[in-house]
Amino acid sequence: MSNNDSPIKSTGLHIGEAAPGCKKTDPMLVIDHVKKSFGGLTAVDVEHLEIPKNAITALIGPNGAGKTTLFNLLTGFDTPDTGAWEFLGTSLSGVPSYKVAQMGQVRTFQLTKALSLLTVLDNMKLGSKNQVGESIFRALFPGSWRKQDAEIELKAIELLKRFNLDAKQADFAASLSGGQRKLLEMARALMTDPVLVMLDEPMAGVNPALTQSLLGHVLNLKKEGMTVLFVEHDMHMVRHIADWVVVMAEGKVVAEGPPETVMNEQAVIDAYLGAHQDTDLGVVTGRISIIDQEKDK
Amino acid sequence: MNFLSVGNPKRFLKLVVVVFTALIIGLGLLVSPAQADSIGEEFDHAVLGNVKIKGEPIGGVRIMVEGPSYSAEVLTSDDGSWLIGVPTKDTYTVTLDQETLPAGIAVLEGGASQDVDLGLSDRVVKNFFIGQGERNEVSFFDQFVARLIYGINFGLMLGLASVGLSLVFGTTGLSNFAHGEMVTFGAVAALILGTVLQVPIWVAIPAAVILSAGFGWSLDAGLWKPLRKKGLGIVQLMIISIGLSLTLRYVIQFFIGGGTEQLPGFDSPKITLFGSVALSVNDLYSMGISIVAIIGFALWLLKSNTGKATRAISDNSDLAAASGIDVDKVVRLVWIVSAALAGLSGVLWAYFRPGIKWDMGTQILLLIFAAVTLGGLGTAFGALIGALVVGILVETSSLFIPSDLKYVGALVVLIGVLLFRPQGLMGRKQRVG
Amino acid sequence: MDWGTIINNTLAGLLTPTTIAFALAALGLAMHFGFAGLLNFGIAGFMAIGAYGYAISVLTFGFPWWGGMIVGIIGSILFAILLGIPTLRLRGDYLAIVTIAAAEIVRLLFLTTAFTDVTGSADGLFGYNNAGGFTNANPFPPGSYGWGPWTYNSETLWVLTFGLGVLAVCVWFLWALMRSPWGRVIKGIREDEEAIRALGKNVFAYKLQALIIGGIFGGMGGIIFAAFANVSPGVYVTSITFFIWTSLLLGGAATIWGPVIGAVIFWTLQAFLSNILPELALAGILPVSGTQAATLRFVLVGIGLMLLVIYRPQGIFGDKRELTFVK
């Protein structure tokens, strides 16, 4: 596991000043005027946002800032009221979620979605794209899919080894611990050979022993040329691995920039303090201490 | 969950609608009047007769027979005779379609629709007195108003049953398929008290409602609460309610048999309101009782502490529990209220149909579901409005479509609402996921 | 007590056209609910469309028997599409209510006097097996076949052989599908359709395919039932749907053989109870009348269904770990 104390950060991602909606040198996702409201409440209202390619971008913000909703909108799991967004130059407006995934933009969920009554190996094999045997007509003729299925199995076992899950491959996913399910979900996402990996709170509910290995996996994704966009509440993790941080509050992007600078910004502090009534106080105080430390430096 | 994210279904939907319409029209073209003088001869029982005027037979007159679970029609043969076999010894309504009589001829006595009772013999002869006379034409407006009033009456009693189902769904998430049997239970309790034990009916009905309430209590205490504690999923609970529905339905059949029973005083005199619109005394009582019960229920739900707690649990069960509401106690009360209202609805419906049958609750279960979904699942007042809409729709639709298809309209509405507005008429779109 | 007759009739229940028809319908539900997680409460509607499609196309349109059966199957496919396209996006329990309502609409349309010429209304349809040539296609010469409780005349033997053949094909079909990657996606959808969508699978298309396959099985069940008995609208009521559910859950919803064995157990038990309960009543052991005794067996079905779901939701043959009630 290549998990150094200070991972190499990507720099020079943006053009001009690091302000909300600033241009990126090589954007993977470009979002314009995406708006979504539920009843009278505006959940997401993003003017312009670009996600840099081959970098790890963290999406942070207090609870109810619209991070997960934005995730849902970008992956086609929800439809915005207005707005457009592009993935590697292709417009994704109105594209159903499964097609978004086929284009190489894969996501995980805040509440882990392990397929409990399938074995770990079957979970993995489901991730693979363009399987012949997944067509109902070819499914009846094992000759047409056996060979491909064997190859997929090899690839799955390979990945399971990397994630230390190979010993569990024959078990039902239901028997895994919470952290192992997170690992499985990430490994399964990698089976789709994604370009952009979107992780919704990958660390939530994971015990500290597994946190290090998960961090290592996320960093590896970048090494292998993938782009990562993740939502996270753990500020230590964000500072540790993110190359770029986007801060959301009340549906809007209020700040973005490299982690070292963005957390000092008044807008970010306001976002958290202004929202503290909606947030768990313990979490808020934790966050303030991080921000204070940054100030002291 | 997000139902609308995959693909664009509109194109498919259009195609589906076109195909379906074509099918219906196609079936319609195949329909022509039956040229038979007898139907259902394989049944053991039959209603039969002769249509003659001054000894001259009239052929091609349409005769319809409608009973609690069976309906059929024939045209009289050239010698004026007709026969309709019926499966059970029930009370049937025989109707002579005056439109098919020659001009200037009408039914002179007893009206064009008359009841026959097969209680005593296997075959009953029903002849109509016809002759030269003014046909008592009922104007469309009068028919419509009469149907509308019936619809409101039916809707109100449907509403009594629906609010209970809706409350149970709101507080426990259970789609209770045994709710129909709770309706039957009330009617059967009134039957046993009123006819077997000979209790005066004005005592028997309240007592039946109290028994229903007790029945609701025992269902929750004996079955649903232990299952909630066991932590079963909603699908499991739903299938258990189906098992319960089968059990109760056949237990009721075990005791009262497969026939139709009548409550005391089911044959009340009619009061003419205006024109040809007439209502029976029972109908008027029924509407009055429904309205009083609904107002009482509304006051309980809006004003009392337990009513408020019920709404709080429907809104957010965990939050309600966290703020100190005893969820189990409130759910218990919800079952009691729900069963009492369903029981009352059963008694009133037994007068409306009229008659009590072991599967009567099952017959309207889907209408109750339709009412509840129409109003927005889990909202009690929505269910009430949904019930009125369904009741009026069912009764008035028989003016335009064959009366044995009158429930179809309500079922189509049920499906339509779930497809296009699953939050119901009253519910608001909510943030999901 | 005539134990000989009771045992004989019970054993005969092991293999009847009814058992085969219901095994087929239960197999369809296994596809829908056990594997794909679709709460279909309208399997009676699929059966009715299969049966009426066969009978009507023979009687009204003069189709040969095999043509009529194909029409019945096409009818079930169309019903699946008609039902599936708008409803497969609905939550599980909504789907249950929509399917049960749709099946009732189908039944009421077959029952109404408005279409008597075509549907026979409450009388149902008969004579199509002769008219369409199914009876004549019987390869067995007249006579008595089999032994003991399993003695059949050549007509029944023909329906049984035909039905078992159809059942065998359907069982193979389901088995072949469920061991394939297609089956893996279907099971994944049962577990969590959003996760499958996030992996780039067109969940809606898979669900529709599953609904169609199960619907064909259900329609075949109706056709086999029609090949043996008359087509009567009184059969395709919601109770039948629930009996099939009971059979399915008895055998184990997410298994291939479970629904078949469940249907066999269900109908053998029914045969046993419908024989022994009136006998017990007659002998004075049960203090009830004969009709009451006949009603008792349905009470037992209801109680059985409840106990099954509460204490053994995976069925007799299901894997305890592979519970199907995940949601």
Side-chain angles (χ1 to χ4, degrees):
Chain A
M1 212 105 331
S2 58
N3 181 30
N4 304 330
D5 276 333
S6 51
I8 305 146
K9 297 286 179 94
S10 306
T11 49
L13 298 167
H14 61 292
I15 302 166
E17 204 185 331
C22 70
K23 292 240 177 270
K24 304 297 176 325
T25 44
D26 194 4
M28 167 152 277
L29 265 178
V30 181
I31 301 155
D32 272 307
H33 306 289
V34 167
K35 206 173 166 182
K36 173 80 185 178
S37 42
F38 297 100
L41 180 87
T42 305
V44 167
D45 184 7
V46 174
E47 275 293 307
H48 184 85
L49 179 64
E50 299 184 2
I51 306 295
K53 197 187 276 182
N54 195 18
I56 300 177
T57 305
L59 187 57
I60 66 168
N63 287 345
K67 304 178 299 283
T68 298
T69 307
L70 182 62
F71 251 51
N72 287 343
L73 295 176
L74 294 181
T75 49
F77 276 82
D78 208 341
T79 23
D81 306 332
T82 58
W85 64 107
E86 284 180 0
F87 171 65
L88 291 171
T90 317
S91 170
L92 287 187
S93 316
V95 176
S97 50
Y98 74 94
K99 283 198 176 142
V100 172
Q102 283 172 358
M103 291 161 89
Q105 181 184 331
V106 72
R107 72 169 292 186
T108 66
F109 295 86
Q110 195 173 341
L111 298 168
T112 324
K113 292 186 184 293
L115 306 166
S116 313
L117 302 185
L118 267 62
T119 62
V120 168
L121 189 60
D122 274 348
N123 261 276
M124 292 295 288
K125 286 161 101 175
L126 264 173
S128 190
K129 287 196 288 193
N130 303 321
Q131 294 191 48
V132 180
E134 288 185 354
S135 138
I136 188 161
F137 301 107
R138 306 257 194 105
L140 292 170
F141 306 101
S144 68
W145 50 262
R146 266 227 175 98
K147 191 162 155 276
Q148 192 196 26
D149 204 50
E151 285 162 10
I152 291 169
E153 192 162 322
L154 283 181
K155 182 179 164 195
I157 293 172
E158 199 59 39
L159 261 171
L160 283 175
K161 274 190 190 138
R162 258 174 57 190
F163 282 80
N164 273 333
L165 287 168
D166 50 327
K168 299 256 180 199
Q169 55 169 286
D171 294 3
F172 281 119
S175 68
L176 298 183
S177 74
Q180 284 173 324
R181 287 183 202 197
K182 287 264 177 201
L183 284 174
L184 174 61
E185 198 182 15
M186 200 188 288
R188 193 177 62 200
L190 295 186
M191 284 293 289
T192 65
D193 299 319
V195 194
L196 169 64
V197 182
M198 298 174 63
L199 306 169
D200 198 349
E201 301 201 18
M203 296 298 158
V206 176
N207 73 43
L210 271 175
T211 312
Q212 278 306 316
S213 105
L214 257 170
L215 279 180
H217 290 304
V218 175
L219 285 167
N220 272 338
L221 298 180
K222 188 174 88 172
K223 267 190 204 151
E224 287 169 17
M226 287 171 238
T227 303
V228 179
L229 174 64
F230 72 103
V231 172
E232 192 46 71
H233 280 304
D234 182 334
M235 291 303 147
H236 288 292
M237 172 180 172
V238 170
R239 283 195 340 156
H240 189 63
I241 65 168
D243 303 311
W244 193 259
V245 177
V246 176
V247 188
M248 283 182 78
E250 288 166 359
K252 290 184 162 58
V253 175
V254 292
E256 56 176 310
E260 306 79 46
T261 55
V262 78
M263 291 187 183
N264 295 338
E265 282 186 33
Q266 191 59 41
V268 179
I269 299 165
D270 287 348
Y272 278 102
L273 288 177
H276 78 276
Q277 276 159 323
D278 308 326
T279 336
D280 179 26
L281 268 179
V283 182
V284 168
T285 45
R287 278 171 186 146
I288 294 167
S289 77
I290 294 170
I291 296 164
D292 286 347
Q293 281 164 17
E294 296 281 350
K295 271 181 176 170
D296 292 341
K297 269 183 196 168
Chain B
M1 282 243 229
N2 186 357
F3 315 124
L4 299 166
S5 64
V6 203
N8 179 4
K10 284 197 181 118
R11 204 155 35 97
F12 286 111
L13 260 180
K14 249 185 213 162
L15 181 75
V16 167
V17 168
V18 169
V19 169
F20 200 60
T21 319
L23 266 175
I24 288 177
I25 292 170
L27 275 174
L29 289 179
L30 295 168
V31 178
S32 56
Q35 283 297 343
D37 56 345
S38 65
I39 187 171
E41 282 170 284
E42 73 276 16
F43 292 120
D44 293 339
H45 321 294
V47 190
L48 63 157
N50 246 314
V51 178
K52 284 184 183 172
I53 178 158
K54 292 174 188 157
E56 282 296 308
I58 309 178
V61 177
R62 199 154 72 105
I63 308 283
M64 292 158 281
V65 160
E66 202 181 343
S69 60
Y70 178 80
S71 58
E73 61 176 63
V74 290
L75 297 182
T76 55
S77 61
D78 288 345
D79 63 359
S81 68
W82 59 273
L83 181 148
I84 297 178
V86 290
T88 50
K89 283 197 163 194
D90 283 318
T91 301
Y92 289 86
T93 307
V94 182
T95 305
L96 185 152
D97 185 357
Q98 300 196 71
E99 300 284 327
T100 55
L101 285 174
I105 309 280
V107 176
L108 294 181
E109 281 176 36
S113 284
Q114 295 180 21
D115 285 349
V116 293
D117 186 2
L118 274 86
L120 297 170
S121 56
D122 285 342
R123 293 185 159 226
V124 170
V125 176
K126 183 79 229 167
N127 281 328
F128 290 88
F129 286 93
I130 56 174
Q132 236 96 54
E134 277 296 300
R135 202 174 291 162
N136 192 2
E137 284 285 344
V138 180
S139 74
F140 180 80
F141 177 75
D142 280 8
Q143 281 188 45
F144 185 78
V145 171
R147 288 278 147 202
L148 193 67
I149 296 174
Y150 282 151
I152 292 171
N153 191 6
F154 185 45
L156 284 171
M157 60 187 73
L158 208 56
L160 288 176
S162 304
V163 288
L165 184 77
S166 170
L167 276 190
V168 167
F169 181 85
T171 49
T172 66
L174 168 71
S175 310
N176 181 20
F177 277 78
H179 201 74
E181 278 60 43
M182 286 158 71
V183 171
T184 319
F185 182 91
V188 171
L191 176 74
I192 291 170
L193 289 167
T195 58
V196 181
L197 303 177
Q198 296 287 328
V199 177
I201 196 67
W202 55 271
V203 180
I205 292 176
V209 173
I210 292 168
L211 280 176
S212 298
F215 182 56
W217 177 87
S218 58
L219 278 182
D220 188 52
L223 184 69
W224 298 117
K225 190 185 170 195
L227 291 180
R228 279 202 299 280
K229 291 279 164 286
K230 213 169 176 266
L232 266 60
I234 54 163
V235 171
Q236 249 167 312
L237 290 175
M238 188 158 98
I239 298 178
I240 291 168
S241 80
I242 289 171
L244 180 66
S245 159
L246 288 175
T247 310
L248 293 175
R249 200 186 308 167
Y250 287 106
V251 165
I252 289 168
Q253 192 195 27
F254 181 87
F255 285 111
I256 70 167
T260 302
E261 306 288 335
Q262 293 295 353
L263 285 174
F266 74 97
D267 203 10
S268 66
K270 294 226 173 195
I271 298 171
T272 305
L273 295 184
F274 66 89
S276 62
V277 180
L279 275 182
S280 72
V281 177
N282 282 344
D283 288 334
L284 292 170
Y285 272 127
S286 169
M287 279 196 260
I289 294 172
S290 300
I291 290 170
V292 169
I294 286 167
I295 290 174
F297 167 79
L299 287 177
W300 169 75
L301 195 63
L302 291 175
K303 301 284 178 196
S304 77
N305 282 333
T306 47
K308 284 175 188 163
T310 306
R311 284 184 294 146
I313 293 172
S314 296
D315 212 33
N316 186 333
S317 172
D318 292 336
L319 186 65
S323 42
I325 295 173
D326 184 347
V327 175
D328 270 329
K329 212 172 117 189
V330 174
V331 169
R332 173 70 46 90
L333 190 67
V334 163
W335 273 104
I336 293 172
V337 170
S338 161
L341 291 175
L344 177 60
S345 154
V347 175
L348 298 181
W349 197 45
Y351 281 110
F352 183 80
R353 290 179 76 222
I356 294 172
K357 210 159 170 256
W358 61 286
D359 64 349
M360 64 187 271
T362 315
Q363 287 173 18
I364 56 162
L365 179 68
L366 285 178
L367 294 188
I368 299 174
F369 271 125
V372 171
T373 20
L374 191 61
L377 285 164
T379 58
F381 295 118
L384 203 56
I385 291 166
L388 279 171
V389 173
V390 169
I392 292 170
L393 182 80
V394 164
E395 287 298 327
T396 53
S397 67
S398 57
L399 289 175
F400 310 101
I401 56 174
S403 63
D404 53 6
L405 286 180
K406 66 182 181 185
Y407 286 0
V408 169
L411 296 179
V412 170
V413 166
L414 166 65
I415 295 177
V417 169
L418 282 174
L419 293 186
F420 300 110
R421 208 178 153 79
Q423 71 273 32
L425 293 181
M426 313 300 289
R428 225 184 298 147
K429 232 180 191 156
Q430 281 181 350
R431 182 175 178 159
V432 280
Chain C
M1 297 280 283
D2 184 0
W3 282 105
T5 314
I6 293 172
I7 291 170
N8 207 49
N9 288 344
T10 305
L11 290 177
L14 280 172
L15 181 62
T16 65
T18 313
T19 314
I20 296 172
F22 281 78
L24 275 166
L27 206 62
L29 267 190
M31 174 81 259
H32 288 159
F33 175 69
F35 293 116
L38 301 170
L39 271 175
N40 174 18
F41 279 179
I43 194 75
F46 284 96
M47 293 178 77
I49 285 176
Y52 274 96
Y54 166 43
I56 289 175
S57 44
V58 168
L59 291 177
T60 307
F61 301 103
F63 277 44
W65 65 274
W66 49 269
M69 289 183 182
I70 291 171
V71 170
I73 294 171
I74 293 172
S76 329
I77 295 174
L78 287 179
F79 187 54
I81 295 173
L82 198 70
L83 204 58
I85 286 178
T87 58
L88 284 177
R89 300 152 214 285
L90 295 177
R91 240 172 63 179
D93 45 350
Y94 289 12
L95 181 69
I97 295 174
V98 168
T99 47
I100 199 173
E104 274 295 280
I105 291 176
V106 165
R107 185 179 69 87
L108 290 171
L109 286 176
F110 285 135
L111 180 65
T112 177
T113 49
F115 309 129
T116 308
D117 281 5
V118 180
T119 62
S121 184
D123 295 341
L125 296 169
F126 32 83
Y128 47 86
N129 282 321
N130 281 322
F134 179 74
T135 319
N136 278 336
N138 187 353
F140 303 106
S144 180
Y145 298 85
W147 55 274
W150 301 287
T151 310
Y152 307 105
N153 62 23
S154 74
E155 277 96 46
T156 313
L157 184 70
W158 167 222
V159 178
L160 282 175
T161 316
F162 184 77
L164 280 178
V166 169
L167 182 62
V169 171
C170 289
V171 166
W172 171 82
F173 197 73
L174 187 61
W175 170 80
L177 279 178
M178 289 322 294
R179 66 159 177 176
S180 74
W182 184 87
R184 195 159 60 211
V185 178
I186 289 293
K187 283 191 231 171
I189 290 171
R190 176 190 74 198
E191 297 301 303
D192 194 321
E193 60 176 82
E194 298 227 323
I196 301 300
R197 206 171 280 144
L199 293 172
K201 322 283 182 201
N202 185 352
V203 167
F204 175 74
Y206 280 100
K207 279 163 84 168
L208 190 59
Q209 288 167 2
L211 194 66
I212 290 173
I213 301 285
I216 293 175
F217 293 171
M220 294 297 302
I223 290 171
I224 299 298
F225 200 64
F228 178 68
N230 295 339
V231 175
S232 157
V235 171
Y236 305 100
V237 291
T238 49
S239 303
I240 279 296
T241 295
F242 299 149
F243 290 167
I244 296 167
W245 268 87
T246 311
S247 310
L248 174 76
L249 295 172
L250 200 61
T255 58
I256 305 285
W257 287 106
V260 177
I261 297 169
V264 170
I265 296 175
F266 183 86
W267 288 102
T268 311
L269 264 178
Q270 284 289 308
F272 175 69
L273 291 173
S274 66
N275 277 286
I276 193 156
L277 289 174
E279 286 275 347
L280 286 176
L282 205 63
I285 302 169
L286 271 181
V288 298
S289 75
T291 22
Q292 284 181 323
T295 310
L296 266 185
R297 69 190 160 120
F298 294 114
V299 176
L300 292 175
V301 171
I303 295 174
L305 178 59
M306 287 164 73
L307 293 178
L308 200 59
V309 178
I310 297 172
Y311 294 108
R312 209 175 158 79
Q314 75 274 27
I316 297 174
F317 299 99
D319 185 334
K320 176 81 189 166
R321 294 173 306 171
E322 200 164 345
L323 285 178
T324 41
F325 298 100
V326 276
K327 280 152 228 157

Short mmCIF file of all heavy atoms in Angstrom, two decimals, chain C residues 145-167:
data_model
loop_
_atom_site.label_atom_id
_atom_site.label_comp_id
_atom_site.label_asym_id
_atom_site.label_seq_id
_atom_site.Cartn_x
_atom_site.Cartn_y
_atom_site.Cartn_z
N TYR C 145 -54.68 -45.34 -18.46
CA TYR C 145 -53.22 -45.40 -18.29
C TYR C 145 -52.85 -45.23 -16.83
O TYR C 145 -53.62 -44.69 -16.04
CB TYR C 145 -52.57 -44.29 -19.11
CG TYR C 145 -52.80 -44.40 -20.59
CD1 TYR C 145 -53.94 -43.88 -21.18
CD2 TYR C 145 -51.86 -45.05 -21.41
CE1 TYR C 145 -54.17 -43.98 -22.53
CE2 TYR C 145 -52.07 -45.15 -22.77
CZ TYR C 145 -53.23 -44.62 -23.32
OH TYR C 145 -53.44 -44.72 -24.67
N GLY C 146 -51.64 -45.64 -16.49
CA GLY C 146 -51.13 -45.44 -15.14
C GLY C 146 -51.66 -46.49 -14.17
O GLY C 146 -52.27 -47.48 -14.55
N TRP C 147 -51.41 -46.24 -12.87
CA TRP C 147 -51.85 -47.20 -11.87
C TRP C 147 -52.24 -46.47 -10.59
O TRP C 147 -51.84 -45.31 -10.36
CB TRP C 147 -50.76 -48.23 -11.59
CG TRP C 147 -49.46 -47.59 -11.18
CD1 TRP C 147 -48.48 -47.13 -12.01
CD2 TRP C 147 -49.02 -47.28 -9.85
NE1 TRP C 147 -47.47 -46.57 -11.30
CE2 TRP C 147 -47.76 -46.66 -9.96
CE3 TRP C 147 -49.57 -47.50 -8.58
CZ2 TRP C 147 -47.04 -46.23 -8.85
CZ3 TRP C 147 -48.83 -47.08 -7.47
CH2 TRP C 147 -47.58 -46.45 -7.61
N GLY C 148 -52.99 -47.17 -9.75
CA GLY C 148 -53.37 -46.66 -8.43
C GLY C 148 -54.00 -45.28 -8.53
O GLY C 148 -54.86 -45.04 -9.38
N PRO C 149 -53.56 -44.37 -7.67
CA PRO C 149 -54.16 -43.03 -7.68
C PRO C 149 -53.86 -42.29 -8.98
O PRO C 149 -54.53 -41.32 -9.28
CB PRO C 149 -53.50 -42.34 -6.49
CG PRO C 149 -52.40 -43.21 -6.01
CD PRO C 149 -52.55 -44.55 -6.63
N TRP C 150 -52.83 -42.72 -9.68
CA TRP C 150 -52.44 -42.01 -10.90
C TRP C 150 -52.96 -42.71 -12.14
O TRP C 150 -52.21 -43.03 -13.06
CB TRP C 150 -50.92 -41.84 -10.95
CG TRP C 150 -50.43 -41.07 -9.77
CD1 TRP C 150 -50.58 -39.75 -9.55
CD2 TRP C 150 -49.73 -41.59 -8.64
NE1 TRP C 150 -50.04 -39.40 -8.35
CE2 TRP C 150 -49.50 -40.51 -7.76
CE3 TRP C 150 -49.29 -42.87 -8.26
CZ2 TRP C 150 -48.84 -40.65 -6.54
CZ3 TRP C 150 -48.64 -43.02 -7.06
CH2 TRP C 150 -48.42 -41.92 -6.21
N THR C 151 -54.27 -42.98 -12.14
CA THR C 151 -54.88 -43.58 -13.30
C THR C 151 -55.59 -42.49 -14.10
O THR C 151 -56.37 -41.73 -13.53
CB THR C 151 -55.90 -44.65 -12.88
OG1 THR C 151 -55.25 -45.51 -11.94
CG2 THR C 151 -56.39 -45.45 -14.06
N TYR C 152 -55.26 -42.40 -15.38
CA TYR C 152 -55.83 -41.31 -16.17
C TYR C 152 -56.43 -41.87 -17.45
O TYR C 152 -55.96 -42.88 -17.98
CB TYR C 152 -54.74 -40.30 -16.55
CG TYR C 152 -53.95 -39.80 -15.37
CD1 TYR C 152 -52.65 -40.24 -15.13
CD2 TYR C 152 -54.52 -38.89 -14.48
CE1 TYR C 152 -51.94 -39.78 -14.04
CE2 TYR C 152 -53.81 -38.44 -13.38
CZ TYR C 152 -52.52 -38.89 -13.17
OH TYR C 152 -51.82 -38.43 -12.09
N ASN C 153 -57.45 -41.17 -17.94
CA ASN C 153 -57.91 -41.49 -19.28
C ASN C 153 -56.99 -40.80 -20.28
O ASN C 153 -56.13 -39.99 -19.89
CB ASN C 153 -59.38 -41.11 -19.48
CG ASN C 153 -59.59 -39.62 -19.31
OD1 ASN C 153 -58.67 -38.83 -19.45
ND2 ASN C 153 -60.81 -39.24 -18.98
N SER C 154 -57.17 -41.09 -21.56
CA SER C 154 -56.18 -40.60 -22.51
C SER C 154 -56.22 -39.07 -22.62
O SER C 154 -55.20 -38.44 -22.83
CB SER C 154 -56.39 -41.25 -23.89
OG SER C 154 -57.53 -40.68 -24.50
N GLU C 155 -57.41 -38.46 -22.44
CA GLU C 155 -57.48 -36.99 -22.53
C GLU C 155 -56.64 -36.34 -21.43
O GLU C 155 -55.84 -35.45 -21.67
CB GLU C 155 -58.93 -36.49 -22.40
CG GLU C 155 -59.73 -36.54 -23.68
CD GLU C 155 -60.56 -37.81 -23.77
OE1 GLU C 155 -61.21 -38.14 -22.76
OE2 GLU C 155 -60.52 -38.47 -24.81
N THR C 156 -56.86 -36.80 -20.18
CA THR C 156 -56.11 -36.24 -19.07
C THR C 156 -54.62 -36.49 -19.25
O THR C 156 -53.79 -35.61 -18.99
CB THR C 156 -56.59 -36.84 -17.73
OG1 THR C 156 -58.00 -36.81 -17.71
CG2 THR C 156 -56.03 -36.09 -16.56
N LEU C 157 -54.29 -37.68 -19.71
CA LEU C 157 -52.88 -38.01 -19.90
C LEU C 157 -52.24 -37.05 -20.91
O LEU C 157 -51.11 -36.59 -20.73
CB LEU C 157 -52.74 -39.46 -20.40
CG LEU C 157 -51.29 -39.93 -20.55
CD1 LEU C 157 -50.65 -40.09 -19.18
CD2 LEU C 157 -51.21 -41.22 -21.34
N TRP C 158 -53.00 -36.72 -21.95
CA TRP C 158 -52.49 -35.80 -22.98
C TRP C 158 -52.25 -34.41 -22.38
O TRP C 158 -51.19 -33.81 -22.57
CB TRP C 158 -53.50 -35.78 -24.14
CG TRP C 158 -53.34 -34.70 -25.17
CD1 TRP C 158 -54.36 -33.98 -25.73
CD2 TRP C 158 -52.14 -34.24 -25.82
NE1 TRP C 158 -53.88 -33.10 -26.66
CE2 TRP C 158 -52.51 -33.23 -26.73
CE3 TRP C 158 -50.79 -34.56 -25.70
CZ2 TRP C 158 -51.59 -32.55 -27.53
CZ3 TRP C 158 -49.86 -33.88 -26.49
CH2 TRP C 158 -50.26 -32.90 -27.40
N VAL C 159 -53.22 -33.92 -21.60
CA VAL C 159 -53.03 -32.61 -20.98
C VAL C 159 -51.84 -32.64 -20.03
O VAL C 159 -51.01 -31.72 -20.00
CB VAL C 159 -54.31 -32.17 -20.21
CG1 VAL C 159 -54.09 -30.82 -19.54
CG2 VAL C 159 -55.50 -32.09 -21.15
N LEU C 160 -51.74 -33.75 -19.25
CA LEU C 160 -50.62 -33.87 -18.30
C LEU C 160 -49.28 -33.87 -19.02
O LEU C 160 -48.34 -33.17 -18.62
CB LEU C 160 -50.76 -35.15 -17.48
CG LEU C 160 -51.76 -35.14 -16.34
CD1 LEU C 160 -51.86 -36.52 -15.70
CD2 LEU C 160 -51.35 -34.11 -15.30
N THR C 161 -49.19 -34.67 -20.09
CA THR C 161 -47.93 -34.76 -20.82
C THR C 161 -47.56 -33.41 -21.40
O THR C 161 -46.43 -32.94 -21.27
CB THR C 161 -48.06 -35.78 -21.97
OG1 THR C 161 -48.74 -36.92 -21.48
CG2 THR C 161 -46.72 -36.16 -22.52
N PHE C 162 -48.57 -32.78 -22.02
CA PHE C 162 -48.33 -31.47 -22.61
C PHE C 162 -47.90 -30.47 -21.54
O PHE C 162 -46.91 -29.75 -21.70
CB PHE C 162 -49.63 -31.01 -23.30
CG PHE C 162 -49.51 -29.71 -24.02
CD1 PHE C 162 -48.88 -29.66 -25.26
CD2 PHE C 162 -50.01 -28.54 -23.48
CE1 PHE C 162 -48.76 -28.47 -25.93
CE2 PHE C 162 -49.89 -27.34 -24.15
CZ PHE C 162 -49.26 -27.30 -25.38
N GLY C 163 -48.64 -30.47 -20.41
CA GLY C 163 -48.34 -29.55 -19.33
C GLY C 163 -46.96 -29.77 -18.74
O GLY C 163 -46.21 -28.83 -18.49
N LEU C 164 -46.62 -31.04 -18.53
CA LEU C 164 -45.29 -31.33 -17.96
C LEU C 164 -44.20 -30.90 -18.92
O LEU C 164 -43.15 -30.39 -18.49
CB LEU C 164 -45.17 -32.83 -17.66
CG LEU C 164 -45.82 -33.30 -16.36
CD1 LEU C 164 -45.66 -34.80 -16.20
CD2 LEU C 164 -45.19 -32.58 -15.16
N GLY C 165 -44.45 -31.09 -20.22
CA GLY C 165 -43.47 -30.64 -21.21
C GLY C 165 -43.25 -29.14 -21.13
O GLY C 165 -42.11 -28.66 -21.05
N VAL C 166 -44.36 -28.40 -21.09
CA VAL C 166 -44.26 -26.95 -21.00
C VAL C 166 -43.54 -26.55 -19.70
O VAL C 166 -42.65 -25.70 -19.69
CB VAL C 166 -45.68 -26.32 -21.04
CG1 VAL C 166 -45.62 -24.85 -20.67
CG2 VAL C 166 -46.28 -26.50 -22.41
N LEU C 167 -43.91 -27.21 -18.60
CA LEU C 167 -43.29 -26.90 -17.31
C LEU C 167 -41.79 -27.15 -17.35
O LEU C 167 -40.99 -26.33 -16.88
CB LEU C 167 -43.95 -27.73 -16.20
CG LEU C 167 -43.45 -27.48 -14.78
CD1 LEU C 167 -43.75 -26.04 -14.36
CD2 LEU C 167 -44.11 -28.44 -13.79
#
